[in-house]
Amino acid sequence: DAKTTQPNSMESNEEEPVHLPCNHSTISGTDYIHWYRQLPSQGPEYVIHGLTSNVNNRMASLAIAEDRKSSTLILHRATLRDAAVYYCILRDVEGTASKLTFGTGTRLQVTL
Amino acid sequence: DGGITQSPKYLFRKEGQNVTLSCEQNLNHDAMYWYRQDPGQGLRLIYYSQIVNDFQKGDIAEGYSVSREKKESFPLTVTSAQKNPTAFYLCASSIPGGYQPQHFGDGTRLSIL
């Protein structure tokens, strides 16, 4: 599986935008970029995914570099409820029921 | 509301005992998964199933067993052969397809007495 690299932790003030980076220099042409987040003592929650173009949904935006070797998850206005571990994961579009390979993610702290 | 229900939330196992973790989904998903999470770590795949009556081993299947007799249910048994079972266990489901998002339950925390 292609590997992703994320910072161990980041901090943000409430109501400010947050940019969570992810490097995936060995990404293949058939890999989708997925983001999940996990709150303490809960299961991971799907946030967003994309292939080449930038994507927006009600939770976040995903900006994908033109060469696809990096991406950034953007939370437009962080709230205390966004404090979680954020995982950037690559998934092969040609796979069937395939596993999610989780690294250790980025722990986001949000302060008042 | 559709979702995944895992039970129990907390479970304690005695030495040499088998225990079964329940996972039920009403999302009409064909694919289901079991993951294990150790403190401060990411998730590791134990077993997955793409369709009823079929399942495959994941990366750490030793000491675990599963069944998939119904589309809605994918129970995981932690056997006495699993020597280090203390962990957070997560069940997920998805529409088949490598790019489809997976939906997770809230997990079962298993500890050894």
Side-chain angles (χ1 to χ4, degrees), chain A residues 32 34 36 38 41-46 49 87 91-104 107, chain B residues 9 31 33 35 37 40-43 45 48-50 59 88 90 96-102 104-106 109:
Chain A
Y32 271 81
H34 283 242
Y36 286 74
Q38 187 175 21
S41 298
Q42 293 187 24
E45 175 187 27
Y46 164 78
H49 76 278
Y87 297 99
R91 297 194 71 195
D92 187 346
V93 69
E94 295 179 350
T96 53
S98 61
K99 66 182 178 182
L100 294 173
T101 301
F102 283 76
T104 52
R107 183 174 299 278
Chain B
K9 193 169 178 67
Y33 314 78
Y35 293 89
Q37 186 174 33
Q41 303 297 313
L43 280 65
L45 183 69
Y48 68 99
S49 168
Q50 298 184 57
D59 297 325
F88 190 42
L90 289 154
Y99 56 90
Q100 294 288 349
Q102 292 185 9
F104 285 82
D106 282 337
R109 196 166 297 278

Side-chain angles (χ1 to χ4, degrees), chain A residues 2 11 27 47 51 55 65 69 72 76 79 86 89-90 92 108:
Chain A
E11 288 186 19
I27 191 170
V47 177
L51 185 63
V55 184
K69 293 186 177 182
T72 302
H76 295 286
T79 69
Y86 286 79
I89 298 164
L90 301 182
D92 187 346
L108 176 65

